[in-house]
Amino acid sequence: MREPHRLTPQLALRVGVLGVVALVAFGILFARLWSLQVLSGDEYLNAAQNNQLRLVRLEAPRGPILDRNGRVLVSNVAGTAVKLWVGDMPEKGRNALVRRLATVLGLSPRRLARAVDEQLSDPLTPITVKTSVGEAQVKYLYEHRAEFPGVEIVQTYLRHYPYKALAAQLLGYVGEISAEELERLRKDGYRAGDTIGKTGIEAAYDAYLRGVPGLAQITVDSLGRPQSSLELRQEARAGNALRLTIDVRIQRAAEEALRYGIELAHANDHWAANGGAIVALDPRDGAVLALASSPSYRPSVFVGRLDRRKLAPLLDEEAARRANYPGLNRAIAGLYPPGSTWKPVTALAGMQEHVFSAYDPLPCTPVAYYGLDRQKFRNWNPYVNRPMTLPEALAESCDTYFYEIGNRFYLQGSEGRVRMQQWARRFGFGSPTGIDIAGEEPGLVPTPEWRRKTFTSDWDRAWNPGDSIQLSIGQKDLLVTPLQMAAFYAMLANGGNIVTPYLASAVEQPGSRGSPRLVLKRFAPKPPRPAGVDPAALAAVRDGLWRATHSINGTASGVFGSYEIPISGKTGTAEKVVPLPGYPAGHLEDQSWWCGWGPSEAARLVVCALIENGGHGSAAAAPAALRVFERFFNRKAPAPVLTESD
């Protein structure tokens, strides 16, 4: 017989330990259950309910862009967009869904598939598949909603351009924010899928134009299908209106004048003329009334369905080259030698540095020789041979007169060889003017130091007499933009003050019930700063520029001499290497310039015109500039007498 079981001390200890462990385990489970159901019950209930709700970001309509008189340059029209929530797409059959959706919307399946793959890391942000969707496509998607899980049809706003291509490079365009832009701007409230200004005014003042997005919520089932209508949680706030300094009438006149100048160049057998720029600004404060560039494009190509063929000249380098770069704003980013329009810079620098005196005659000869090798430098007019004062030399644009000034700078040694450049920089050349849109080029004012840093051979690195001589007439390495030239001539026109060109004048909020707009912010122009030139030197230059348009031998007197509003200004014919089919390397074409202001004694408008490859300044650019003055003053001029003068 087996002995009856007895509870030994060792066994009792084991049973006790096991019981304690069991009690502790059940205590922990009970406490966790009590915490989930009692303490955090409301929190998890809300989380469960939120799993059925989806927050939808509501696009805010962008604010309109107005000209100085309130004319609408850019507005909005209603449109329909298709968005795709990647997180709601089925894992199986995703590629088939992408192909079907791309076929319905007329898109590239490969590109849509690539966009879906890139968005897989952020499935809670929708892809904007297409804007400006047609009515038939919308109906089809609504009728076959079950076949397109994750597809959402929303209302959107599309930019509308009442004046079509007018001021295209100036206004810019909008598009969906890129990954790089989002990384930079997320801290400012931007989110994936937002519309953002890409270039021009749209980009520079996006913060005012974009508005504040709204929020709505919608109930969805486990497959992401809507089970209720949108419920507004936060209403979108429309962007503010932006008023510019641009005048639609003057802008249109400038763009028409560019076409006219190109036609005149063609009529004079300058068949390579194919572009240009015109700047018109108020010399008193720098307000830009027109900023025209040709060739141009229609910003509407970036709205709605994107046509790759139409976009190619704006996005593809080779297509842009064939179309002569229509996306380039030549007014602020086109770089050209200024030719004789630069001679007032040389004159002011020379007088400030006491290199010459305005009314002491210097020889104006058909040719001049400089340097140890007696290099020949020609005057554009081979038939003049007499001494001239500065006003006469400016009026007739005598090259050899200014060669002598350039050579005198050179003969002053290393310090004298940079004096003209120092004054040029003081006048705003070699750096951006500070206009309030991106893309402005600084240009180039060459110096002996620049040559040493830029070139490798001893010959090219040397600063020779010819460098100072060529610089004196705005040639060789010197590069400027039309806007820089306009700002410099504004200084001549207003009596010696340098202005900062600007485009935006005010941010406005629409008034209620037809009341006037409420001005929220004004953009005051930067105060003009004195250029530091002697009033007597400035008066001599102004005298010469008045004679250039009114004296019998003035280079632009045939264009402006009989106009009832007195205009002052200077022509320019600048040689530039231009690669053209069928021509040898290093082929030179003349860039046609004219810059000036009116009225001569109480300037209200400065105009600077450039016709690329247009020939002589008097034959293309000057008549084009006259068209802008005619529109501004509402005074027609007699038919101009066109001559082949510098």
Side-chain angles (χ1 to χ4, degrees):
M1 295 180 59
R2 183 177 298 178
E3 244 181 81
H5 179 75
R6 288 186 296 180
L7 185 64
T8 64
Q10 294 83 358
L11 183 60
L13 178 62
R14 293 176 183 174
V15 171
V17 170
L18 181 62
V20 171
V21 170
L23 287 174
V24 170
F26 277 105
I28 292 173
L29 290 174
F30 177 79
R32 179 60 178 161
L33 182 63
W34 182 73
S35 172
L36 291 174
Q37 292 186 342
V38 178
L39 296 181
S40 303
D42 293 340
E43 177 184 345
Y44 285 100
L45 176 61
N46 289 335
Q49 291 175 340
N50 286 338
N51 283 335
Q52 303 171 15
L53 299 176
R54 171 169 292 164
L55 291 179
V56 179
R57 191 172 169 91
L58 301 178
E59 181 182 2
R62 288 180 73 83
I65 301 176
L66 317 172
D67 87 333
R68 67 189 301 114
N69 297 309
R71 300 182 184 91
V72 178
L73 298 172
V74 186
S75 61
N76 299 310
V77 293
T80 304
V82 171
K83 296 192 174 185
L84 180 60
W85 296 81
V86 176
D88 294 336
M89 298 176 67
E91 293 187 10
K92 294 183 178 180
R94 179 182 294 158
N95 291 335
L97 172 58
V98 168
R99 287 195 299 271
R100 289 200 308 273
L101 182 60
T103 301
V104 171
L105 297 179
L107 304 174
S108 166
R110 181 176 300 177
R111 290 186 181 173
L112 182 55
R114 188 184 305 121
V116 170
D117 291 339
E118 293 173 353
Q119 199 66 23
L120 288 176
S121 60
D122 185 14
L124 298 181
T125 300
I127 301 170
T128 301
V129 180
K130 184 180 180 181
T131 56
S132 189
V133 182
E135 184 178 354
Q137 295 167 319
V138 171
K139 287 182 178 179
Y140 183 88
L141 291 175
Y142 271 127
E143 292 171 358
H144 300 81
R145 179 183 290 274
E147 301 174 18
F148 296 95
V151 173
E152 180 185 14
I153 300 171
V154 298
Q155 295 301 306
T156 188
Y157 301 95
L158 305 175
R159 283 312 232 179
H160 175 59
Y161 304 90
Y163 294 97
K164 298 179 181 177
L166 191 77
Q169 297 96 340
L170 157 66
L171 296 171
Y173 62 91
V174 298
E176 187 173 350
I177 192 169
S178 67
E180 294 78 12
E181 292 168 332
L182 181 60
E183 183 177 355
R184 187 178 75 252
L185 298 171
R186 186 183 293 275
K187 64 181 183 301
D188 297 324
Y190 289 80
R191 296 293 180 266
D194 282 359
T195 297
I196 187 173
K198 296 289 187 177
T199 62
I201 287 293
E202 293 277 21
Y205 292 93
D206 185 76
Y208 299 102
L209 293 167
R210 68 186 299 259
V212 179
L215 281 177
Q217 66 183 23
I218 188 172
T219 304
V220 297
D221 61 15
S222 59
L223 297 178
R225 292 174 298 197
Q227 301 297 306
S228 71
S229 58
L230 280 175
E231 180 181 342
L232 186 65
R233 292 183 57 176
Q234 177 182 316
E235 190 171 355
R237 191 166 72 241
N240 295 310
L242 183 69
R243 187 179 293 262
L244 303 182
T245 60
I246 293 294
D247 187 321
V248 164
R249 298 181 312 109
I250 309 304
Q251 180 71 28
R252 182 187 284 119
E255 297 191 10
E256 291 173 353
L258 278 177
R259 291 190 288 270
Y260 173 63
I262 293 172
E263 291 172 1
L264 289 176
H266 292 169
N268 290 322
D269 296 330
H270 293 282
W271 301 106
N274 56 359
I278 291 181
V279 178
L281 56 81
D282 188 330
R284 296 167 293 187
D285 64 357
V288 179
L289 277 69
L291 203 70
S293 179
S294 176
S296 187
Y297 68 96
R298 290 192 177 188
S300 58
V301 298
F302 290 98
V303 177
R305 180 178 179 180
L306 302 183
D307 187 326
R308 290 185 58 81
R309 181 179 58 82
K310 294 180 179 179
L311 286 172
L314 303 171
L315 303 178
D316 178 74
E317 176 64 24
E318 180 58 28
R321 184 189 62 79
R322 291 195 301 267
N324 197 20
Y325 301 98
L328 174 67
N329 189 342
R330 285 163 164 78
I332 67 172
L335 295 173
Y336 311 89
S340 294
T341 55
W342 180 263
K343 288 174 180 175
V345 177
T346 303
L348 289 175
M351 286 184 286
Q352 291 295 135
E353 295 298 323
H354 307 291
V355 170
F356 79 109
S357 177
Y359 294 98
D360 288 342
L362 294 179
C364 179
T365 55
V367 296
Y369 300 90
Y370 295 100
L372 296 176
D373 58 353
R374 304 296 292 166
Q375 184 178 354
K376 180 189 288 188
F377 293 88
R378 299 180 182 275
N379 185 17
W380 76 269
N381 184 355
Y383 304 108
V384 63
N385 190 356
R386 73 177 193 277
M388 289 185 177
T389 62
L390 174 63
E392 291 174 306
L394 284 171
E396 301 186 35
S397 199
C398 178
D399 292 330
T400 47
Y401 181 99
F402 289 92
Y403 294 155
E404 177 62 23
I405 299 173
N407 188 58
R408 290 183 182 185
F409 273 110
Y410 179 83
L411 293 176
Q412 289 184 343
S414 58
E415 291 188 4
R417 292 167 193 171
V418 297
R419 295 292 190 190
M420 188 192 309
Q421 295 92 317
Q422 290 170 353
W423 279 100
R425 288 195 177 90
R426 182 180 292 191
F427 297 150
F429 297 102
S431 61
T433 65
I435 192 171
D436 47 338
I437 55 174
E440 186 179 10
E441 288 289 337
L444 172 63
V445 178
T447 62
E449 182 183 5
W450 170 81
R451 292 200 70 84
R452 287 193 297 269
K453 290 181 177 180
T454 304
F455 299 101
T456 56
S457 72
D458 291 340
W459 176 261
D460 289 330
R461 297 177 74 226
W463 185 269
N464 297 305
D467 292 294
S468 293
I469 290 168
Q470 293 275 32
L471 179 61
S472 71
I473 63 163
Q475 284 287 177
K476 205 174 180 183
D477 300 313
L478 177 65
L479 293 173
V480 303
T481 67
L483 182 62
Q484 287 174 329
M485 293 304 299
F488 170 68
Y489 274 78
M491 184 272 290
L492 300 178
N494 66 28
N497 294 310
I498 298 172
V499 298
T500 300
Y502 71 102
L503 288 161
S505 64
V507 177
E508 301 175 350
Q509 186 179 56
S512 59
R513 298 180 181 178
S515 59
R517 295 178 183 271
L518 175 65
V519 176
L520 302 178
K521 179 181 178 66
R522 291 194 184 277
F523 297 101
K526 292 183 179 179
R529 62 186 190 278
V533 296
D534 183 356
L538 185 62
V541 170
R542 287 170 56 95
D543 183 16
L545 298 184
W546 185 87
R547 295 190 191 194
T549 55
H550 291 85
S551 70
I552 190 170
N553 293 322
T555 55
S557 60
V559 177
F560 296 99
S562 57
Y563 190 45
E564 64 178 284
I565 306 295
I567 305 294
S568 297
K570 182 77 187 72
T571 54
T573 306
E575 291 183 334
K576 180 184 178 183
V577 174
V578 178
L580 293 176
Y583 287 85
H587 173 70
L588 295 173
E589 285 286 338
D590 289 332
Q591 312 303 301
S592 178
W593 282 91
W594 188 89
C595 295
W597 69 88
S600 295
E601 293 304 321
R604 294 168 53 200
L605 183 70
V606 166
V607 177
C608 199
L610 163 79
I611 306 297
E612 284 185 359
N613 314 323
H616 290 273
S618 60
L626 176 61
R627 291 288 181 95
V628 181
F629 284 115
E630 287 179 329
R631 184 67 57 86
F632 181 82
F633 292 114
N634 289 319
R635 298 285 191 277
K636 291 291 291 182
V641 179
L642 304 183
T643 58
E644 294 284 321
S645 58
D646 181 44

